Amino acid sequence: MPSPWSLRREASAESSRLLIERAHEEFVGGNAQDPRVTAVRGLVRESWQRSARSLVGVEAVPPLDLISDELDEYRRTHPLASVMDMIRQLLLPGDEDESGVVVAVGDAAGRLLWVEGDRRIRDLTGDMGFVAGANWSEDAVGTSAPGTALALERSVQIRGAEHFNRLVQPWSCTAAPVRDPESRRVLGVIDVTGGAEATTPQAQLLVDATARAIEGELLVARLRARAEPAAKSPSARRTRGAAEHATLRVLGRDLAVLDVVDDRGATVTELSARHAEILLMLAVHQQGLSAERLAALVYGESAPVETLRPEMVRLRRVLDAVAPALIPASRPYRLTSALQTDADHVVSLLDRGAHRVALTAYRGPVLPDSRAPGVEELRQSVQAALRESLLAGAGLDVLLAYVDTDEGREDADALRLCLEMLAPRSPRRAPIVARLEQLGA
């Protein structure tokens, strides 16, 4: 039996829906000053006004701008084509045909290029023209998450009756623009459409985090593509100026990779194990480290400073060729330019509650073969942050993905939590019970 609180929430939601429906009727009827219209969210009211100025029909089906071979060719060459697998992994984990939502990816003009997800919902939304090739800009279909997100160049949520087009009002959606990681121009938009669950705060957080993850992936791919020609120009690297963007990738790899974009281009450099450890410690301890403390973090408490100094000389030579702005200062040893790490990125995502994106970004332990005391401490810290955050707030799909990783495969607490969240007759229960029995838990 529903609780009084849930019944009250449902009644409130229904009341809000009816008020917005009446406000919409007043607006399209020409009574924009009706109190119910002025009570609608400003973002939505302003979008209605833009839609009306564009003469959008309130029951019009959006135009189909791209069809057949034209659509296929355009999708093949679009910048977001390379990250579609990442989008599916983050927004449509598991069986996408039973995901409960539809995920759409469009271009900067609002034309949908990919529409995937729950088969039943795709059939229903297809009737209103929510299909690949259709134009869902505000000028074409009025207020909707993909079109309004592009118009405002920020993430938005549009709930049910807030849509300008009556055909779309049974649905709710969250969308966010995706930008070029360097020029910051809008490349396209990602959208999640479904029932009320598609417009929760968690849904907006996930869509926003997915957009940022996509931008990061595009930047890394671009850096890799530039690495080979950049490596053939040592003189250009030696004269390179301040780093605009530098990332040290240490997750799941024994040899760290340093990605740098600066005023002369981009480089991707694989560091030796020792250089990776030193640079990572300097990135973590931004306030700086004495020679004695840095030696202890890298070599162990009893290591003499003399062991560190020749390695610092060699590291400076490497950085002078690929990233002179990152050459450490002395007394104390410190970085004078910002250096991000992929481990920092995962922890930041966890802090924002973007569990699914964080788990995808977590490629494995920090420098897994390193025995440097400082690296071991950081490795354990990141692992603990991931585990604790997932156990405290992740959804079932994310937890199931976690227990299939090397980190979570033998995590009895996580396996038991999955059992608590799974439906009593779920076929996923049996394998988890078997794993718990193997662990003796």
Side-chain angles (χ1 to χ4, degrees):
M1 178 180 294
S3 70
W5 287 106
S6 64
L7 292 174
R8 189 175 302 174
R9 284 195 300 271
E10 290 174 8
S12 175
E14 178 66 11
S15 175
S16 176
R17 182 186 66 80
L18 291 173
L19 285 173
I20 296 172
E21 284 183 354
R22 290 168 185 158
H24 182 266
E25 293 303 317
E26 291 294 335
F27 182 87
V28 299
N31 190 10
Q33 301 308 313
D34 185 278
R36 286 169 291 199
V37 176
T38 57
V40 172
R41 284 195 297 155
L43 176 152
V44 173
R45 189 172 63 252
E46 291 163 9
S47 177
W48 286 357
Q49 292 166 351
R50 291 192 298 271
S51 303
R53 287 196 297 269
S54 298
L55 303 178
V56 175
V58 293
E59 291 186 352
V61 176
L64 198 62
D65 286 0
L66 299 166
I67 57 173
S68 190
D69 293 344
E70 182 184 24
L71 172 63
D72 292 340
E73 177 61 20
Y74 184 54
R75 285 197 296 202
R76 188 183 65 79
T77 59
H78 194 272
L80 296 183
S82 63
V83 293
M84 280 305 300
D85 284 343
M86 170 181 275
I87 294 172
R88 295 181 186 105
Q89 187 176 14
L90 294 175
L91 298 180
L92 291 170
D95 186 352
E96 68 174 58
D97 285 342
E98 298 180 2
S99 60
V101 296
V102 166
V103 171
V105 178
D107 68 3
R111 297 173 294 187
L112 304 185
L113 304 183
W114 292 270
V115 179
E116 303 180 6
D118 191 290
R119 186 179 300 277
R120 182 185 65 85
I121 295 179
R122 273 189 291 143
D123 289 343
L124 294 172
T125 57
D127 290 340
M128 65 184 187
F130 199 72
V131 295
N135 187 335
W136 274 73
S137 66
E138 273 196 347
D139 288 345
V141 78
T143 307
S144 72
T148 303
L150 288 171
L152 300 180
E153 294 194 1
R154 66 178 180 87
S155 66
V156 298
Q157 294 186 309
I158 302 297
R159 303 175 181 89
E162 293 179 332
H163 288 92
F164 188 79
N165 189 320
R166 292 193 187 101
L167 300 179
V168 192
Q169 290 181 350
W171 305 99
S172 295
C173 44
T174 297
V178 178
R179 296 179 180 275
D180 183 282
E182 294 175 285
S183 71
R184 303 310 295 160
R185 69 181 179 88
V186 173
L187 296 176
V189 63
I190 52 176
D191 170 88
V192 174
T193 291
E197 69 280 359
T199 49
T200 61
Q202 293 78 11
Q204 187 161 24
L205 182 66
L206 178 59
V207 172
D208 278 341
T210 298
R212 303 295 80 77
I214 291 167
E215 292 168 3
E217 185 68 16
L218 290 173
L219 179 60
V220 169
R222 200 169 294 173
L223 289 170
R224 289 172 179 162
R226 294 171 182 166
E228 185 174 348
K232 295 177 181 178
S233 302
S235 59
R237 291 199 302 272
R238 282 196 295 272
T239 58
R240 191 165 294 149
E244 296 175 5
H245 180 92
T247 301
L248 185 66
R249 291 188 276 136
V250 296
L251 292 176
R253 55 177 68 245
D254 299 320
L255 299 179
V257 170
L258 178 63
D259 296 328
V260 176
V261 179
D262 59 24
D263 55 6
R264 291 296 186 91
T267 56
V268 179
T269 305
E270 189 174 72
L271 301 175
S272 71
R274 191 63 76 196
H275 289 172
E277 293 165 347
I278 293 172
L279 203 53
L280 178 59
M281 290 300 96
L282 293 174
V284 170
H285 299 274
Q286 298 179 11
Q287 75 282 4
L289 294 164
S290 67
E292 292 78 10
R293 181 59 182 151
L294 181 55
L297 290 172
V298 173
Y299 295 98
E301 289 294 338
S302 59
V305 172
E306 289 70 23
T307 308
L308 172 69
R309 285 179 176 144
E311 204 63 64
M312 291 298 298
V313 172
R314 287 188 283 269
L315 175 60
R316 285 190 172 109
R317 288 174 183 161
V318 171
L319 294 175
D320 183 54
V322 297
L326 292 176
I327 294 174
S330 302
R331 300 181 181 178
Y333 286 122
R334 66 194 185 281
L335 298 177
T336 58
S337 292
L339 175 60
Q340 305 297 317
T341 73
D342 52 357
D344 289 334
H345 180 58
V346 168
V347 173
S348 176
L349 289 169
L350 293 172
D351 288 342
R352 286 180 277 159
H355 300 109
R356 181 175 295 158
V357 183
L359 184 60
T360 301
Y362 183 77
R363 307 298 176 120
V366 174
L367 299 177
D369 279 357
S370 173
R371 293 298 173 261
V375 175
E376 290 184 329
E377 182 180 354
L378 177 64
R379 182 189 305 140
Q380 293 165 8
S381 173
V382 175
Q383 289 173 325
L386 177 69
R387 179 180 185 274
E388 291 168 9
S389 183
L390 295 183
L391 292 182
L396 176 58
D397 285 342
V398 180
L399 281 172
L400 288 170
Y402 170 66
V403 297
D404 280 340
T405 66
D406 290 339
E407 303 288 325
R409 189 162 286 113
E410 296 185 358
D411 190 328
D413 290 337
L415 290 165
R416 279 192 287 265
L417 184 56
C418 288
L419 281 181
E420 291 176 12
M421 299 172 72
L422 282 167
R425 296 185 179 180
S426 171
R428 296 181 176 183
R429 295 180 65 88
I432 293 177
V433 170
R435 284 164 62 181
L436 282 169
E437 290 176 349
Q438 289 175 354
L439 294 173

